Amino acid sequence: MPEDFDVIIIGSGAGGAAAAYKLVKAGKRVLMLEKGNRLPRDASTLSTAIVFKEGRFFNKTEWQDGRGEPFTPTGEHYNLGGKTKWYGAALLRFSAHEFEADPSYQCLAWPFGLSELEPYYAEAERMLHVNHFKNEPELQSVIDRILSSDPSWRVEPLPLALKPEIVNDPQEAKHFDGFASVAGYKGDAEECFIKLIEDEPNFRLLLDTEVTSFLHADGSPATIEGVSCADGANFRAGIVILACGAMSSPRLLSDYLVATGLDRTLPGADWVGRNFRMHINSALVVFSAFRDTDVLRKTAIFFNHKHPHSTVQCLGWIDGELLATQLPAVTPEFITNAIGPRALGFFVTTEDGSSVDNRVVSNRGGRPILDYAFERIKPSRDEHKACIHDFERALLHAGFIGASQWTGLAGTAHAVGTLVTGSDPLSSVVDPHGKVHGMENLYVSDGSVLPRTSRVNPALTIYSWGLRLGERLAA
């Protein structure tokens, strides 16, 4: 294929892969540039010691928080398929009311309603092999005891992007939540979108290729014509899609705006990087008297009308080895091995409201900055605390005792909002069709456009946005 493209896509995660699929199938010449490489297929991505203890596949770039303290966002992954290779495969739709503003909770409105994304939700679910699995015996016993102790909790099956045959492979079944599948049982951006177009003559994929800036028309920095890469290569296309995630996309755009002076003239320039959200997520681990023999475990999600912006999901397999990675290094192995089979994990997720001061800052020449504080989103913080308290009380009455821990700033797996979409160029960065306000040929297809996080994992919504964007650009 000649070095001549219709569309360049920066990033291979959910939004970029979904848009690429639509564009390639429509006959467009597409170049996808991915900063990372393919993950190995040697089962190292299923190893607790390698993935969690050694952290071989985690992001290594050091950031700083709003107080200047260093930290490393391990929720970021630079590999083909991006975060989707590592997510827990829980793919849920946002509810209709979660497309509306909620001022008392500091939630912004989408520029359109649920009906706009519904057909793309359905298409993404089909392509990603979203299924419901029956609760295994021990988990069902736990659920029954929780509901008996506190009927205010409601349980639904958790939709999972897993092929049914995973239950016949215990090694994979125990290592899908937070691990990357080797056998391809998990529906992710690479398996379900990129592989379907990788051999097409009008698609080219370049790995280990970091985009550092944009190319523009002579005398018109607001008209994008391509990208520049760290290795000195330049690529040109009629359309460029920014899809490298809510932590990276705003930094790339911000650096370009500053370098060209557009930061002083573009209507929404000051909104770039702002409204950062990542969910308030806490892991809750409890211990029981019985040895848990379930394999999948992550098949149910809890709701409670008292906490309308929160959910509690079951976590996947926990054993002594995995538990040891979360405990102090001095904890004896015989203790973790003894309590591991009796451990059950839950993930308490609360939608965090928007604050313009919660933001990603490029800080070019220094460590990137993630300035995020609960004090700016008090309603979210208060509901999260109340939800954990109520669920822990229900667990205690059901005979379980344990402890919860916030995932911290490093847990950016659900990062969204930093290039928020909206109809008003004075209060948003991207228009309802995905184009950056005030710029030509530059579109965004990742979680940074989401005005709300909702109370569930955002991945399915990002895939759906990507499918919608790709279809519209192809037309």
Side-chain angles (χ1 to χ4, degrees), residues 266-268 420-426 428-432 435-439:
L266 202 69
V420 68
T421 183
S423 299
D424 185 357
L426 297 179
S428 58
V429 181
V430 173
D431 74 15
K435 188 171 76 71
V436 176
H437 287 300
M439 299 187 73

Side-chain angles (χ1 to χ4, degrees), residues 254 257 262-273 425 428-429:
S254 176
L257 297 182
L262 287 172
D263 62 315
R264 299 187 298 272
T265 60
L266 202 69
D270 191 49
W271 293 96
V272 173
S428 58
V429 181

Side-chain angles (χ1 to χ4, degrees), residues 217-260:
D218 290 343
S220 180
T223 302
I224 301 302
E225 292 188 342
V227 299
S228 297
C229 302
D231 61 4
N234 292 333
F235 300 96
R236 295 185 178 272
I239 290 174
V240 174
I241 298 178
L242 191 53
C244 43
M247 300 281 282
S248 296
S249 288
R251 291 187 289 135
L252 187 57
L253 180 56
S254 176
D255 288 345
Y256 177 77
L257 297 182
V258 171
T260 58

Side-chain angles (χ1 to χ4, degrees), residues 17-156:
Y21 171 80
K22 283 288 192 178
L23 289 161
V24 171
K25 289 298 185 182
K28 302 299 181 182
R29 297 163 298 174
V30 177
L31 170 65
M32 175 175 281
L33 303 173
E34 168 55 50
K35 179 179 178 179
N37 211 318
R38 296 180 190 273
L39 291 173
R41 294 282 184 172
D42 59 2
S44 59
T45 60
L46 299 177
S47 166
T48 299
I50 292 174
V51 173
F52 287 98
K53 190 172 183 179
E54 180 185 326
R56 181 181 301 179
F57 305 106
F58 289 157
N59 160 60
K60 301 297 192 298
T61 302
E62 189 174 77
W63 287 52
Q64 67 185 50
D65 63 19
R67 300 182 304 276
E69 295 297 322
F71 76 99
T72 302
T74 54
E76 302 304 295
H77 291 277
Y78 302 114
N79 51 256
L80 184 62
K83 295 178 184 179
T84 71
K85 300 297 292 185
W86 303 96
Y87 63 13
L91 296 183
L92 303 101
R93 300 184 181 195
F94 287 9
S95 299
H97 72 273
E98 291 172 326
F99 286 80
E100 301 170 358
D102 186 350
S104 65
Y105 198 79
Q106 299 173 259
C107 290
L108 304 176
W110 284 72
F112 50 75
L114 170 62
S115 60
E116 181 69 22
L117 282 190
E118 275 187 316
Y120 304 104
Y121 271 143
E123 184 176 5
E125 288 165 343
R126 289 193 301 271
M127 295 187 67
L128 290 155
H129 311 288
V130 174
N131 289 289
H132 293 104
F133 292 80
K134 185 178 180 181
N135 294 329
E136 294 159 301
E138 297 293 358
L139 175 59
Q140 188 59 54
S141 172
V142 172
I143 290 172
D144 292 342
R145 292 160 72 179
I146 291 172
L147 299 186
S148 176
S149 67
D150 186 351
S152 68
W153 291 98
R154 172 173 56 88
V155 177
E156 293 183 6

Side-chain angles (χ1 to χ4, degrees), residues 359-416:
R359 62 187 303 200
V360 167
V361 180
S362 176
N363 196 27
R364 193 165 188 174
R367 291 183 303 219
I369 300 169
L370 176 53
D371 189 352
Y372 181 87
F374 287 153
E375 291 74 19
R376 300 166 185 157
I377 48 170
K378 189 175 181 295
S380 309
R381 180 197 63 185
D382 292 347
E383 179 170 322
H384 189 67
K385 287 182 177 179
C387 183
I388 290 176
H389 176 268
D390 282 357
F391 197 72
E392 284 182 329
R393 184 172 58 186
L395 286 167
L396 184 62
H397 289 166
F400 302 97
I401 189 168
S404 63
Q405 177 65 50
W406 175 48
T407 56
L409 280 185
T412 57
H414 295 181
V416 301

